[in-house]
Amino acid sequence: WVLRVMVAGKRRDMGLGGFPDVTLAQAREKAREARATIEKGIDPIAEREAARSALAASRGAAVTFEEAARQFITAKSPEWKNAKHGQQWTNTLETYAFPVVGKLACADVALPHVLKILEPIWTTKTETATRLRGRIESILDWATVSKYRQGDNPARWRGHLDNLLADPSRSKRTVHH
């Protein structure tokens, strides 16, 4: 169904939907609503295109945690003295963080997600857990600076996770041979 109207002295064709999906009664109702919008001085086609553009822009602004981590590692790898550092970052994130928050948008990563990543290994693999926490914090800080997220960093230690998790220097038990 197509509605042909004059908008601001210009002929416009507005699609109302295809026949099997949109009945004649529905097409007439959509046409009536579009004409009412035009009478108010609003171009419904331009309005629809603006909504589509806004949706595409918001989708482009969302980056998953995994994408952000890979971009961060690529950006920071020239600073590291050894190529193995980048491999260690990738391995720990793939093992522990990506299964939990890899597909989430950076803006959606919150404290419960960080705790879900860290709590299982916090007392058993203390060194790995502390490094992983620092890596997550760095990635989320990078995402904040890159405008992919806003607000506090849920992986921050001081004044945040230090109140929820045991101090790693005290919980780590030294086992001598």
Side-chain angles (χ1 to χ4, degrees), residues 4-175:
R4 290 192 174 128
V5 292
M6 295 291 283
V7 179
K10 185 177 177 186
R11 181 179 157 196
R12 303 293 302 250
D13 292 341
M14 180 177 169
L16 302 174
F19 166 65
D21 298 327
V22 179
T23 65
L24 178 60
Q26 290 172 331
R28 286 180 176 158
E29 182 59 34
K30 286 183 178 184
R32 197 173 297 118
E33 290 170 2
R35 284 190 191 103
T37 306
I38 292 168
E39 285 178 13
K40 292 179 186 173
I42 301 169
D43 185 359
I45 298 169
E47 197 173 64
R48 186 187 296 172
E49 288 172 0
R52 244 187 236 134
S53 175
L55 178 64
S58 69
R59 196 177 313 131
V63 170
T64 65
F65 181 82
E66 186 173 348
E67 292 168 353
R70 297 202 189 280
Q71 289 178 18
F72 176 83
I73 291 169
T74 303
K76 290 294 190 173
S77 60
E79 291 180 11
W80 297 328
K81 293 179 182 177
N82 192 339
K84 200 167 190 175
H85 293 296
Q87 189 62 39
Q88 290 170 342
W89 271 69
T90 305
N91 288 343
T92 55
L93 290 169
E94 283 177 351
T95 304
Y96 302 108
F98 292 168
V100 178
V101 294
K103 302 289 184 230
L104 278 178
C106 279
D108 297 335
V109 176
L111 181 63
H113 301 116
V114 175
L115 288 175
K116 188 174 182 181
I117 295 167
L118 296 176
E119 282 178 336
I121 60 170
W122 192 255
T123 55
T124 57
K125 300 176 184 176
T126 308
E127 187 62 31
T128 303
T130 55
R131 288 181 184 192
L132 179 61
R133 185 211 56 80
R135 290 169 184 167
I136 293 169
E137 181 180 13
S138 297
I139 291 164
L140 292 177
D141 282 341
W142 176 88
T144 303
V145 171
S146 300
K147 304 287 186 212
Y148 293 129
R149 70 174 279 120
Q150 296 175 348
D152 290 337
N153 191 332
R156 190 182 72 242
W157 178 251
R158 290 192 188 276
H160 198 64
L161 286 177
D162 62 346
N163 296 316
L164 299 171
L165 298 170
D167 187 355
S169 63
R170 291 186 181 156
S171 66
K172 186 176 167 184
R173 302 283 182 244
T174 304
V175 179

